[in-house]
Structures are given as structure tokens and as C-alpha cells.
Amino acid sequence: MKKIGLLTIALVTAGTMTLGASTHVKDAVDIYKNRCANCHGDKANGVPKITPAPGVDPREADAKGIVSEESANVYGPPLDQLSKEELLKKLDEIRHGDFDSESVHSVMRKNLEEIEKREGKISDDAMASYIYNTFGPGSE
């Protein structure tokens, strides 16, 4: 009888952990589609119509945080070639980096804070996994 009780507890715990993980993935999917895709593209391949400064490669623009010449738009760099570790690093930089208040990353941090106020904490791991496994090298 004691073994059945322990087995039941283990199964309930595993089910709860799985449910929690799938909720994080669902949240990451919804948030990416409804928020991130606006700048980073539906397939995380960047937004080609918003171009960085003339003569600057999109990946270089991403590294430097260069703003588009279109004053209302910020360049949405491609994310589809990044490893999961690189995506996690970028998310961590957005959360904890020391940015000029006018920088692209500062704008992203403000957007992230607003989303999390309305929708709750976003799991960086779930978001990085979603992008990597859906659009990046992990999708192959």
C-alpha cells in the first residue's frame, strides 16, 4: 500500500511538472507570435524591409544595436541562426544589461517589462528553446 501511495505521488508530481513545462512552451509560442515576430519576423529571420544603416550587414547591425534609418522602426535582427545558448545570452542581456536609455536593447527591455506586467513572467529557457527548435538549427 505504501508503494502505491509513493507511486501516486511520483506520477502526480511528474504530471504537474510536464503540465508546467507545456504551459511555458505555449506561452513562448503565443508571446513570440504576438509580440516578437513584429520585429524579428514570423520565422525569426529578421525583418528585411526595415534596413539598418547603409553598408552594414544585418548581423553586424544586431551586434552593434544599430537603429534603422526609418525613425519609427528599430531593426529586428534575425534569430534563426543562433544556438540556444546564444539566444539565452541575448535574453539575459536584455534583462540585465546596462544600456543607454535610447538603445535598441533598452527599448526591448521596456517592451519585455510591459509584457510581463500584463502576462506574467516569461521563461527565457522556454523562449530560447521555442525559437531554436522551431526556426533555428534545432529544427533541422
Side-chain angles (χ1 to χ4, degrees):
M1 189 68 159
K2 187 175 182 179
K3 287 182 181 178
I4 292 174
L6 290 174
L7 180 60
T8 302
I9 291 170
L11 289 173
V12 168
T13 302
T16 303
M17 289 172 62
T18 302
L19 178 61
S22 67
T23 300
H24 285 302
V25 171
K26 178 187 176 294
D27 292 345
V29 172
D30 290 344
I31 290 167
Y32 186 86
K33 286 181 178 178
N34 295 314
R35 305 281 189 251
C36 307
N38 293 333
C39 293
H40 295 287
D42 291 338
K43 296 181 181 178
N45 56 348
V47 179
K49 69 181 179 179
I50 300 176
T51 57
V56 178
D57 177 83
R59 304 228 184 259
E60 183 182 344
D62 175 35
K64 293 181 178 178
I66 295 174
V67 177
S68 166
E69 289 190 313
E70 300 174 36
S71 61
N73 294 317
V74 174
Y75 173 64
L79 303 173
D80 59 345
Q81 300 299 309
L82 301 177
S83 69
K84 182 178 175 189
E85 291 74 24
E86 290 169 317
L87 290 163
L88 283 167
K89 183 178 177 186
K90 285 193 171 291
L91 290 165
D92 185 65
E93 287 172 358
I94 291 167
R95 286 188 188 282
H96 304 106
D98 185 22
F99 306 117
D100 176 308
S101 64
E102 300 301 314
S103 75
V104 172
H105 292 104
S106 179
V107 171
M108 294 252 336
R109 178 183 292 151
K110 288 176 190 171
N111 290 342
L112 178 61
E113 288 169 356
E114 288 300 313
I115 291 167
E116 288 187 335
K117 280 180 190 174
R118 288 191 310 268
E119 301 175 29
K121 176 89 166 84
I122 298 168
S123 165
D124 290 351
D125 189 68
M127 183 61 74
S129 293
Y130 170 70
I131 294 168
Y132 178 79
N133 292 322
T134 305
F135 310 113
S139 67
E140 298 171 354

